[in-house]
Amino acid sequence: VHDDDIEGRVCSHFQEVLAMSREWVPDVLVVSSNCLWQLTEGIEARLRKAGVSHIMMFSPYEGMVDMSAPSHCGPLLARLGDLVARGGDLLLVEDDDDYAAVVEFELSQAGYKITRASNGVDALSMIEQRVPGALVLDLVLPRLDGFGVREALAERKLSVPTIVLTSLDDDRMDERLHQLGAVGVYRKYELIQPQ
């Protein structure tokens, strides 16, 4: 890399890249086509978790090929964009660690600051300490479900724009959520499926 505004480093294998990412994380990782076989799903997941947003492959035949998966959270991001400026705080309430990791990664890549709770009781406690710009809320949660969280927020007169992510599919449920103040309801299977 010769451009003075771009910092680049060269590694010979992915273990070296992973070790390097503890101190320095590239925005873009360019992989030679003859090293592509080393890029397993597990290594890619670790790179994404470290903060690598784009993985490109260089092929002498095709040139640069973007291998980055498109954002699966497009509808959610579009709705959040109406509610909270990029850089704003979001509280993600989700008890499925794998699903939460994917959503958290995509929201943070979009520029949001994410705090996470894995149950409704902890979510309420966190909101009382600091009200986020918006709440991304699962419905089926331990200790206190998503309906209970919305009801408690209304009782305490805490106004937090809430977007619900759920696997449940029921129009009457959607109507009840809107009555409780949810500004959007999305089906998890319409957005992302954890690997």
Side-chain angles (χ1 to χ4, degrees):
V1 177
H2 300 294
D3 192 315
D4 291 339
D5 294 328
I6 299 175
E7 182 180 356
R9 300 186 187 180
V10 177
C11 296
S12 57
H13 53 81
F14 281 102
Q15 292 305 323
E16 190 178 344
V17 175
L18 290 168
M20 176 190 66
S21 69
R22 292 186 200 116
E23 300 172 8
W24 180 79
V25 179
D27 295 312
V28 178
L29 177 65
V30 179
V31 181
S32 170
S33 58
N34 60 2
C35 294
L36 200 58
W37 63 272
Q38 297 178 30
L39 185 60
T40 64
E41 283 187 14
I43 287 176
E44 182 176 357
R46 289 173 65 189
L47 291 168
R48 301 269 187 210
K49 188 172 183 179
V52 176
S53 57
H54 285 282
I55 299 176
M56 309 284 289
M57 176 190 74
F58 176 74
S59 163
Y61 308 105
E62 300 176 67
M64 296 293 274
V65 178
D66 190 348
M67 299 177 59
S68 303
S71 172
H72 299 287
C73 290
L76 173 60
L77 287 169
R79 187 67 185 104
L80 281 170
D82 296 335
L83 303 169
V84 185
R86 298 291 168 102
D89 295 318
L90 302 178
L91 176 58
L92 171 62
V93 189
E94 171 62 66
D95 63 325
D96 182 323
D97 289 338
D98 292 333
Y99 192 84
V102 178
V103 174
E104 184 173 352
F105 173 78
E106 294 211 4
L107 296 180
S108 62
Q109 288 297 303
Y112 293 105
K113 296 174 193 159
I114 312 300
T115 305
R116 183 181 160 216
S118 57
N119 65 71
V121 172
D122 287 350
L124 284 174
S125 175
M126 294 165 86
I127 292 168
E128 287 177 339
Q129 292 173 23
R130 184 167 186 221
V131 177
L135 180 63
V136 179
L137 179 67
D138 186 16
L139 283 184
V140 181
L141 295 165
R143 300 181 67 194
L144 181 66
D145 68 13
F147 290 106
V149 170
R150 280 303 316 164
E151 288 166 355
L153 290 173
E155 287 170 10
R156 299 172 193 189
K157 300 192 182 341
L158 289 169
S159 177
V160 185
T162 302
I163 295 175
V164 172
L165 296 183
T166 182
S167 300
L168 305 175
D169 207 347
D170 182 340
D171 291 340
R172 289 170 299 172
M173 176 194 72
D174 292 7
E175 185 177 330
R176 181 176 172 212
L177 287 166
H178 289 300
Q179 289 170 350
L180 289 171
V183 296
V185 179
Y186 295 96
R187 303 294 181 257
K188 289 183 178 182
Y189 57 80
E190 294 173 341
L191 296 177
I192 53 176
Q193 295 295 330
Q195 297 294 320

mmCIF file of all heavy atoms in Angstrom, residues 93-138:
data_model
loop_
_atom_site.group_PDB
_atom_site.id
_atom_site.type_symbol
_atom_site.label_atom_id
_atom_site.label_comp_id
_atom_site.label_asym_id
_atom_site.label_seq_id
_atom_site.Cartn_x
_atom_site.Cartn_y
_atom_site.Cartn_z
ATOM 1 N N VAL A 93 -32.322 -6.082 23.385
ATOM 2 C CA VAL A 93 -32.766 -7.034 24.411
ATOM 3 C C VAL A 93 -33.084 -8.349 23.710
ATOM 4 O O VAL A 93 -34.093 -8.472 23.021
ATOM 5 C CB VAL A 93 -34.000 -6.515 25.176
ATOM 6 C CG1 VAL A 93 -34.279 -7.418 26.375
ATOM 7 C CG2 VAL A 93 -33.794 -5.075 25.630
ATOM 8 N N GLU A 94 -32.183 -9.306 23.868
ATOM 9 C CA GLU A 94 -32.275 -10.585 23.150
ATOM 10 C C GLU A 94 -31.551 -11.647 23.962
ATOM 11 O O GLU A 94 -30.421 -11.429 24.392
ATOM 12 C CB GLU A 94 -31.636 -10.436 21.766
ATOM 13 C CG GLU A 94 -31.466 -11.714 20.982
ATOM 14 C CD GLU A 94 -32.781 -12.407 20.675
ATOM 15 O OE1 GLU A 94 -33.601 -11.863 19.914
ATOM 16 O OE2 GLU A 94 -32.987 -13.513 21.225
ATOM 17 N N ASP A 95 -32.221 -12.793 24.193
ATOM 18 C CA ASP A 95 -31.600 -13.848 25.001
ATOM 19 C C ASP A 95 -30.871 -14.902 24.174
ATOM 20 O O ASP A 95 -30.125 -15.703 24.721
ATOM 21 C CB ASP A 95 -32.637 -14.514 25.916
ATOM 22 C CG ASP A 95 -33.733 -15.213 25.130
ATOM 23 O OD1 ASP A 95 -34.120 -14.708 24.060
ATOM 24 O OD2 ASP A 95 -34.209 -16.267 25.583
ATOM 25 N N ASP A 96 -31.056 -14.900 22.868
ATOM 26 C CA ASP A 96 -30.346 -15.842 21.993
ATOM 27 C C ASP A 96 -28.993 -15.221 21.629
ATOM 28 O O ASP A 96 -28.930 -14.263 20.858
ATOM 29 C CB ASP A 96 -31.184 -16.106 20.740
ATOM 30 C CG ASP A 96 -30.536 -17.106 19.792
ATOM 31 O OD1 ASP A 96 -29.300 -17.086 19.647
ATOM 32 O OD2 ASP A 96 -31.275 -17.882 19.174
ATOM 33 N N ASP A 97 -27.924 -15.772 22.188
ATOM 34 C CA ASP A 97 -26.598 -15.165 22.009
ATOM 35 C C ASP A 97 -26.175 -15.103 20.548
ATOM 36 O O ASP A 97 -25.592 -14.117 20.105
ATOM 37 C CB ASP A 97 -25.542 -15.943 22.808
ATOM 38 C CG ASP A 97 -25.681 -15.747 24.306
ATOM 39 O OD1 ASP A 97 -26.287 -14.735 24.720
ATOM 40 O OD2 ASP A 97 -25.202 -16.600 25.060
ATOM 41 N N ASP A 98 -26.440 -16.166 19.790
ATOM 42 C CA ASP A 98 -26.019 -16.190 18.387
ATOM 43 C C ASP A 98 -26.765 -15.140 17.572
ATOM 44 O O ASP A 98 -26.172 -14.403 16.785
ATOM 45 C CB ASP A 98 -26.253 -17.576 17.773
ATOM 46 C CG ASP A 98 -25.337 -18.634 18.359
ATOM 47 O OD1 ASP A 98 -24.233 -18.266 18.825
ATOM 48 O OD2 ASP A 98 -25.709 -19.817 18.360
ATOM 49 N N TYR A 99 -28.075 -15.083 17.759
ATOM 50 C CA TYR A 99 -28.869 -14.101 17.018
ATOM 51 C C TYR A 99 -28.467 -12.678 17.429
ATOM 52 O O TYR A 99 -28.290 -11.806 16.592
ATOM 53 C CB TYR A 99 -30.361 -14.332 17.275
ATOM 54 C CG TYR A 99 -31.245 -13.551 16.335
ATOM 55 C CD1 TYR A 99 -31.555 -14.045 15.078
ATOM 56 C CD2 TYR A 99 -31.743 -12.304 16.700
ATOM 57 C CE1 TYR A 99 -32.349 -13.323 14.204
ATOM 58 C CE2 TYR A 99 -32.535 -11.583 15.835
ATOM 59 C CZ TYR A 99 -32.837 -12.096 14.592
ATOM 60 O OH TYR A 99 -33.609 -11.373 13.730
ATOM 61 N N ALA A 100 -28.299 -12.471 18.727
ATOM 62 C CA ALA A 100 -27.916 -11.145 19.224
ATOM 63 C C ALA A 100 -26.583 -10.705 18.643
ATOM 64 O O ALA A 100 -26.401 -9.537 18.300
ATOM 65 C CB ALA A 100 -27.854 -11.153 20.743
ATOM 66 N N ALA A 101 -25.632 -11.643 18.522
ATOM 67 C CA ALA A 101 -24.304 -11.290 18.004
ATOM 68 C C ALA A 101 -24.386 -10.775 16.573
ATOM 69 O O ALA A 101 -23.711 -9.804 16.210
ATOM 70 C CB ALA A 101 -23.373 -12.498 18.081
ATOM 71 N N VAL A 102 -25.239 -11.395 15.756
ATOM 72 C CA VAL A 102 -25.374 -10.966 14.368
ATOM 73 C C VAL A 102 -26.034 -9.592 14.292
ATOM 74 O O VAL A 102 -25.574 -8.695 13.585
ATOM 75 C CB VAL A 102 -26.174 -12.001 13.547
ATOM 76 C CG1 VAL A 102 -26.354 -11.520 12.111
ATOM 77 C CG2 VAL A 102 -25.469 -13.346 13.557
ATOM 78 N N VAL A 103 -27.121 -9.407 15.038
ATOM 79 C CA VAL A 103 -27.815 -8.113 15.034
ATOM 80 C C VAL A 103 -26.895 -7.018 15.578
ATOM 81 O O VAL A 103 -26.784 -5.936 15.004
ATOM 82 C CB VAL A 103 -29.119 -8.174 15.857
ATOM 83 C CG1 VAL A 103 -29.755 -6.797 15.963
ATOM 84 C CG2 VAL A 103 -30.107 -9.150 15.226
ATOM 85 N N GLU A 104 -26.217 -7.322 16.678
ATOM 86 C CA GLU A 104 -25.325 -6.332 17.289
ATOM 87 C C GLU A 104 -24.210 -5.941 16.325
ATOM 88 O O GLU A 104 -23.870 -4.762 16.204
ATOM 89 C CB GLU A 104 -24.731 -6.899 18.575
ATOM 90 C CG GLU A 104 -23.867 -5.916 19.322
ATOM 91 C CD GLU A 104 -23.426 -6.427 20.685
ATOM 92 O OE1 GLU A 104 -23.907 -7.495 21.125
ATOM 93 O OE2 GLU A 104 -22.603 -5.744 21.308
ATOM 94 N N PHE A 105 -23.655 -6.919 15.621
ATOM 95 C CA PHE A 105 -22.593 -6.620 14.659
ATOM 96 C C PHE A 105 -23.101 -5.674 13.572
ATOM 97 O O PHE A 105 -22.469 -4.661 13.260
ATOM 98 C CB PHE A 105 -22.058 -7.907 14.022
ATOM 99 C CG PHE A 105 -21.079 -7.646 12.916
ATOM 100 C CD1 PHE A 105 -19.766 -7.302 13.207
ATOM 101 C CD2 PHE A 105 -21.471 -7.705 11.591
ATOM 102 C CE1 PHE A 105 -18.862 -7.036 12.194
ATOM 103 C CE2 PHE A 105 -20.579 -7.439 10.576
ATOM 104 C CZ PHE A 105 -19.275 -7.105 10.873
ATOM 105 N N GLU A 106 -24.250 -5.991 12.992
ATOM 106 C CA GLU A 106 -24.748 -5.170 11.886
ATOM 107 C C GLU A 106 -25.138 -3.769 12.355
ATOM 108 O O GLU A 106 -24.890 -2.780 11.658
ATOM 109 C CB GLU A 106 -25.908 -5.865 11.182
ATOM 110 C CG GLU A 106 -25.446 -7.133 10.495
ATOM 111 C CD GLU A 106 -26.232 -7.472 9.260
ATOM 112 O OE1 GLU A 106 -27.121 -6.688 8.863
ATOM 113 O OE2 GLU A 106 -25.954 -8.526 8.674
ATOM 114 N N LEU A 107 -25.733 -3.654 13.527
ATOM 115 C CA LEU A 107 -26.103 -2.331 14.041
ATOM 116 C C LEU A 107 -24.867 -1.505 14.385
ATOM 117 O O LEU A 107 -24.811 -0.307 14.111
ATOM 118 C CB LEU A 107 -27.007 -2.460 15.262
ATOM 119 C CG LEU A 107 -28.378 -3.101 15.037
ATOM 120 C CD1 LEU A 107 -29.164 -3.156 16.335
ATOM 121 C CD2 LEU A 107 -29.170 -2.367 13.963
ATOM 122 N N SER A 108 -23.861 -2.155 14.954
ATOM 123 C CA SER A 108 -22.637 -1.413 15.285
ATOM 124 C C SER A 108 -21.888 -1.019 14.025
ATOM 125 O O SER A 108 -21.309 0.069 13.945
ATOM 126 C CB SER A 108 -21.746 -2.208 16.238
ATOM 127 O OG SER A 108 -21.329 -3.414 15.644
ATOM 128 N N GLN A 109 -21.919 -1.873 12.993
ATOM 129 C CA GLN A 109 -21.292 -1.511 11.723
ATOM 130 C C GLN A 109 -21.990 -0.311 11.085
ATOM 131 O O GLN A 109 -21.382 0.455 10.351
ATOM 132 C CB GLN A 109 -21.313 -2.693 10.746
ATOM 133 C CG GLN A 109 -20.346 -3.805 11.113
ATOM 134 C CD GLN A 109 -18.906 -3.339 11.076
ATOM 135 O OE1 GLN A 109 -18.436 -2.851 10.061
ATOM 136 N NE2 GLN A 109 -18.200 -3.486 12.180
ATOM 137 N N ALA A 110 -23.277 -0.164 11.375
ATOM 138 C CA ALA A 110 -24.034 0.982 10.852
ATOM 139 C C ALA A 110 -23.787 2.246 11.665
ATOM 140 O O ALA A 110 -24.303 3.309 11.333
ATOM 141 C CB ALA A 110 -25.525 0.652 10.834
ATOM 142 N N GLY A 111 -23.000 2.136 12.741
ATOM 143 C CA GLY A 111 -22.605 3.328 13.483
ATOM 144 C C GLY A 111 -23.296 3.527 14.821
ATOM 145 O O GLY A 111 -23.058 4.529 15.494
ATOM 146 N N TYR A 112 -24.145 2.580 15.230
ATOM 147 C CA TYR A 112 -24.839 2.731 16.507
ATOM 148 C C TYR A 112 -23.992 2.177 17.650
ATOM 149 O O TYR A 112 -23.186 1.269 17.462
ATOM 150 C CB TYR A 112 -26.186 2.004 16.477
ATOM 151 C CG TYR A 112 -27.162 2.632 15.520
ATOM 152 C CD1 TYR A 112 -27.449 2.034 14.297
ATOM 153 C CD2 TYR A 112 -27.778 3.834 15.821
ATOM 154 C CE1 TYR A 112 -28.334 2.616 13.399
ATOM 155 C CE2 TYR A 112 -28.665 4.422 14.932
ATOM 156 C CZ TYR A 112 -28.935 3.814 13.721
ATOM 157 O OH TYR A 112 -29.810 4.398 12.843
ATOM 158 N N LYS A 113 -24.210 2.739 18.849
ATOM 159 C CA LYS A 113 -23.565 2.223 20.058
ATOM 160 C C LYS A 113 -24.549 1.273 20.724
ATOM 161 O O LYS A 113 -25.650 1.692 21.093
ATOM 162 C CB LYS A 113 -23.213 3.373 21.003
ATOM 163 C CG LYS A 113 -22.192 4.326 20.430
ATOM 164 C CD LYS A 113 -21.998 5.511 21.353
ATOM 165 C CE LYS A 113 -21.222 6.609 20.634
ATOM 166 N NZ LYS A 113 -21.421 7.914 21.246
ATOM 167 N N ILE A 114 -24.142 0.025 20.870
ATOM 168 C CA ILE A 114 -25.066 -1.014 21.328
ATOM 169 C C ILE A 114 -24.753 -1.432 22.760
ATOM 170 O O ILE A 114 -23.616 -1.728 23.105
ATOM 171 C CB ILE A 114 -24.974 -2.273 20.433
ATOM 172 C CG1 ILE A 114 -25.017 -1.904 18.942
ATOM 173 C CG2 ILE A 114 -26.078 -3.259 20.798
ATOM 174 C CD1 ILE A 114 -26.256 -1.186 18.513
ATOM 175 N N THR A 115 -25.808 -1.464 23.587
ATOM 176 C CA THR A 115 -25.754 -2.095 24.893
ATOM 177 C C THR A 115 -26.736 -3.253 24.814
ATOM 178 O O THR A 115 -27.765 -3.152 24.131
ATOM 179 C CB THR A 115 -26.173 -1.116 26.002
ATOM 180 O OG1 THR A 115 -25.366 0.057 25.909
ATOM 181 C CG2 THR A 115 -25.996 -1.737 27.369
ATOM 182 N N ARG A 116 -26.426 -4.345 25.493
ATOM 183 C CA ARG A 116 -27.301 -5.513 25.377
ATOM 184 C C ARG A 116 -27.757 -5.998 26.743
ATOM 185 O O ARG A 116 -26.989 -5.997 27.702
ATOM 186 C CB ARG A 116 -26.570 -6.637 24.658
ATOM 187 C CG ARG A 116 -27.473 -7.841 24.456
ATOM 188 C CD ARG A 116 -26.795 -8.992 23.763
ATOM 189 N NE ARG A 116 -27.547 -10.194 24.050
ATOM 190 C CZ ARG A 116 -27.023 -11.381 24.234
ATOM 191 N NH1 ARG A 116 -25.734 -11.549 24.164
ATOM 192 N NH2 ARG A 116 -27.794 -12.410 24.493
ATOM 193 N N ALA A 117 -29.016 -6.401 26.800
ATOM 194 C CA ALA A 117 -29.567 -7.097 27.962
ATOM 195 C C ALA A 117 -30.124 -8.424 27.459
ATOM 196 O O ALA A 117 -30.599 -8.511 26.318
ATOM 197 C CB ALA A 117 -30.676 -6.274 28.609
ATOM 198 N N SER A 118 -30.079 -9.450 28.312
ATOM 199 C CA SER A 118 -30.565 -10.764 27.879
ATOM 200 C C SER A 118 -31.902 -11.137 28.521
ATOM 201 O O SER A 118 -32.415 -12.225 28.288
ATOM 202 C CB SER A 118 -29.516 -11.845 28.166
ATOM 203 O OG SER A 118 -29.194 -11.860 29.537
ATOM 204 N N ASN A 119 -32.466 -10.228 29.322
ATOM 205 C CA ASN A 119 -33.806 -10.475 29.871
ATOM 206 C C ASN A 119 -34.491 -9.138 30.137
ATOM 207 O O ASN A 119 -33.846 -8.085 30.168
ATOM 208 C CB ASN A 119 -33.739 -11.331 31.144
ATOM 209 C CG ASN A 119 -33.025 -10.624 32.273
ATOM 210 O OD1 ASN A 119 -33.543 -9.671 32.854
ATOM 211 N ND2 ASN A 119 -31.807 -11.069 32.602
ATOM 212 N N GLY A 120 -35.800 -9.189 30.323
ATOM 213 C CA GLY A 120 -36.578 -7.973 30.470
ATOM 214 C C GLY A 120 -36.315 -7.203 31.750
ATOM 215 O O GLY A 120 -36.343 -5.969 31.772
ATOM 216 N N VAL A 121 -36.014 -7.902 32.843
ATOM 217 C CA VAL A 121 -35.752 -7.228 34.118
ATOM 218 C C VAL A 121 -34.481 -6.386 34.013
ATOM 219 O O VAL A 121 -34.461 -5.217 34.416
ATOM 220 C CB VAL A 121 -35.650 -8.261 35.269
ATOM 221 C CG1 VAL A 121 -35.179 -7.600 36.550
ATOM 222 C CG2 VAL A 121 -37.000 -8.947 35.485
ATOM 223 N N ASP A 122 -33.423 -6.974 33.466
ATOM 224 C CA ASP A 122 -32.174 -6.226 33.296
ATOM 225 C C ASP A 122 -32.371 -5.047 32.339
ATOM 226 O O ASP A 122 -31.806 -3.972 32.544
ATOM 227 C CB ASP A 122 -31.061 -7.132 32.764
ATOM 228 C CG ASP A 122 -30.555 -8.107 33.826
ATOM 229 O OD1 ASP A 122 -30.921 -7.948 35.010
ATOM 230 O OD2 ASP A 122 -29.791 -9.026 33.461
ATOM 231 N N ALA A 123 -33.177 -5.258 31.299
ATOM 232 C CA ALA A 123 -33.431 -4.176 30.337
ATOM 233 C C ALA A 123 -34.065 -2.974 31.029
ATOM 234 O O ALA A 123 -33.637 -1.829 30.832
ATOM 235 C CB ALA A 123 -34.336 -4.674 29.209
ATOM 236 N N LEU A 124 -35.079 -3.217 31.872
ATOM 237 C CA LEU A 124 -35.732 -2.108 32.585
ATOM 238 C C LEU A 124 -34.764 -1.387 33.512
ATOM 239 O O LEU A 124 -34.752 -0.161 33.587
ATOM 240 C CB LEU A 124 -36.929 -2.625 33.384
ATOM 241 C CG LEU A 124 -38.182 -2.960 32.574
ATOM 242 C CD1 LEU A 124 -39.230 -3.587 33.473
ATOM 243 C CD2 LEU A 124 -38.720 -1.730 31.873
ATOM 244 N N SER A 125 -33.940 -2.152 34.201
ATOM 245 C CA SER A 125 -32.956 -1.558 35.096
ATOM 246 C C SER A 125 -31.986 -0.663 34.318
ATOM 247 O O SER A 125 -31.658 0.448 34.743
ATOM 248 C CB SER A 125 -32.199 -2.672 35.823
ATOM 249 O OG SER A 125 -31.173 -2.128 36.611
ATOM 250 N N MET A 126 -31.547 -1.127 33.160
ATOM 251 C CA MET A 126 -30.615 -0.342 32.347
ATOM 252 C C MET A 126 -31.285 0.924 31.807
ATOM 253 O O MET A 126 -30.674 1.989 31.755
ATOM 254 C CB MET A 126 -30.084 -1.205 31.198
ATOM 255 C CG MET A 126 -29.217 -2.356 31.689
ATOM 256 S SD MET A 126 -28.941 -3.621 30.443
ATOM 257 C CE MET A 126 -27.534 -2.951 29.605
ATOM 258 N N ILE A 127 -32.554 0.815 31.411
ATOM 259 C CA ILE A 127 -33.278 1.983 30.890
ATOM 260 C C ILE A 127 -33.464 3.031 31.983
ATOM 261 O O ILE A 127 -33.365 4.228 31.730
ATOM 262 C CB ILE A 127 -34.634 1.558 30.286
ATOM 263 C CG1 ILE A 127 -34.393 0.734 29.011
ATOM 264 C CG2 ILE A 127 -35.508 2.771 29.977
ATOM 265 C CD1 ILE A 127 -35.628 0.022 28.490
ATOM 266 N N GLU A 128 -33.749 2.575 33.216
ATOM 267 C CA GLU A 128 -33.917 3.519 34.321
ATOM 268 C C GLU A 128 -32.622 4.272 34.619
ATOM 269 O O GLU A 128 -32.642 5.426 35.025
ATOM 270 C CB GLU A 128 -34.415 2.787 35.568
ATOM 271 C CG GLU A 128 -35.872 2.379 35.441
ATOM 272 C CD GLU A 128 -36.356 1.591 36.643
ATOM 273 O OE1 GLU A 128 -35.532 1.017 37.379
ATOM 274 O OE2 GLU A 128 -37.590 1.535 36.841
ATOM 275 N N GLN A 129 -31.481 3.618 34.400
ATOM 276 C CA GLN A 129 -30.191 4.276 34.622
ATOM 277 C C GLN A 129 -29.843 5.231 33.486
ATOM 278 O O GLN A 129 -29.305 6.306 33.714
ATOM 279 C CB GLN A 129 -29.086 3.229 34.766
ATOM 280 C CG GLN A 129 -29.214 2.402 36.031
ATOM 281 C CD GLN A 129 -28.216 1.258 36.060
ATOM 282 O OE1 GLN A 129 -27.197 1.291 35.404
ATOM 283 N NE2 GLN A 129 -28.523 0.229 36.837
ATOM 284 N N ARG A 130 -30.161 4.821 32.259
ATOM 285 C CA ARG A 130 -29.858 5.666 31.100
ATOM 286 C C ARG A 130 -30.802 5.308 29.962
ATOM 287 O O ARG A 130 -30.768 4.185 29.454
ATOM 288 C CB ARG A 130 -28.411 5.459 30.652
ATOM 289 C CG ARG A 130 -28.028 6.383 29.521
ATOM 290 C CD ARG A 130 -26.534 6.374 29.316
ATOM 291 N NE ARG A 130 -26.189 7.378 28.329
ATOM 292 C CZ ARG A 130 -25.302 7.197 27.384
ATOM 293 N NH1 ARG A 130 -24.660 6.066 27.278
ATOM 294 N NH2 ARG A 130 -25.031 8.154 26.536
ATOM 295 N N VAL A 131 -31.632 6.255 29.546
ATOM 296 C CA VAL A 131 -32.623 6.000 28.508
ATOM 297 C C VAL A 131 -31.932 5.999 27.146
ATOM 298 O O VAL A 131 -31.289 6.978 26.759
ATOM 299 C CB VAL A 131 -33.742 7.067 28.534
ATOM 300 C CG1 VAL A 131 -34.733 6.832 27.400
ATOM 301 C CG2 VAL A 131 -34.457 7.045 29.885
ATOM 302 N N PRO A 132 -32.028 4.877 26.402
ATOM 303 C CA PRO A 132 -31.390 4.811 25.089
ATOM 304 C C PRO A 132 -32.199 5.569 24.039
ATOM 305 O O PRO A 132 -33.364 5.916 24.262
ATOM 306 C CB PRO A 132 -31.387 3.308 24.789
ATOM 307 C CG PRO A 132 -32.600 2.796 25.503
ATOM 308 C CD PRO A 132 -32.730 3.638 26.748
ATOM 309 N N GLY A 133 -31.572 5.786 22.887
ATOM 310 C CA GLY A 133 -32.290 6.436 21.783
ATOM 311 C C GLY A 133 -33.419 5.577 21.265
ATOM 312 O O GLY A 133 -34.443 6.077 20.807
ATOM 313 N N ALA A 134 -33.236 4.265 21.324
ATOM 314 C CA ALA A 134 -34.277 3.321 20.908
ATOM 315 C C ALA A 134 -34.005 1.969 21.536
ATOM 316 O O ALA A 134 -32.886 1.672 21.972
ATOM 317 C CB ALA A 134 -34.350 3.197 19.389
ATOM 318 N N LEU A 135 -35.045 1.156 21.565
ATOM 319 C CA LEU A 135 -34.999 -0.177 22.143
ATOM 320 C C LEU A 135 -35.309 -1.176 21.040
ATOM 321 O O LEU A 135 -36.315 -1.040 20.336
ATOM 322 C CB LEU A 135 -36.050 -0.255 23.251
ATOM 323 C CG LEU A 135 -36.245 -1.538 24.037
ATOM 324 C CD1 LEU A 135 -34.989 -1.890 24.817
ATOM 325 C CD2 LEU A 135 -37.427 -1.364 24.996
ATOM 326 N N VAL A 136 -34.423 -2.168 20.843
ATOM 327 C CA VAL A 136 -34.682 -3.270 19.911
ATOM 328 C C VAL A 136 -34.959 -4.484 20.797
ATOM 329 O O VAL A 136 -34.079 -4.970 21.499
ATOM 330 C CB VAL A 136 -33.483 -3.513 18.977
ATOM 331 C CG1 VAL A 136 -33.778 -4.680 18.028
ATOM 332 C CG2 VAL A 136 -33.169 -2.247 18.162
ATOM 333 N N LEU A 137 -36.213 -4.957 20.769
ATOM 334 C CA LEU A 137 -36.729 -5.838 21.815
ATOM 335 C C LEU A 137 -37.260 -7.156 21.276
ATOM 336 O O LEU A 137 -38.127 -7.173 20.398
ATOM 337 C CB LEU A 137 -37.864 -5.086 22.539
ATOM 338 C CG LEU A 137 -38.604 -5.768 23.668
ATOM 339 C CD1 LEU A 137 -37.683 -5.984 24.871
ATOM 340 C CD2 LEU A 137 -39.828 -4.923 24.074
ATOM 341 N N ASP A 138 -36.749 -8.254 21.818
ATOM 342 C CA ASP A 138 -37.323 -9.575 21.566
ATOM 343 C C ASP A 138 -38.569 -9.702 22.445
ATOM 344 O O ASP A 138 -38.694 -9.011 23.462
ATOM 345 C CB ASP A 138 -36.289 -10.646 21.929
ATOM 346 C CG ASP A 138 -36.736 -12.058 21.568
ATOM 347 O OD1 ASP A 138 -37.681 -12.216 20.771
ATOM 348 O OD2 ASP A 138 -36.121 -13.012 22.077
#
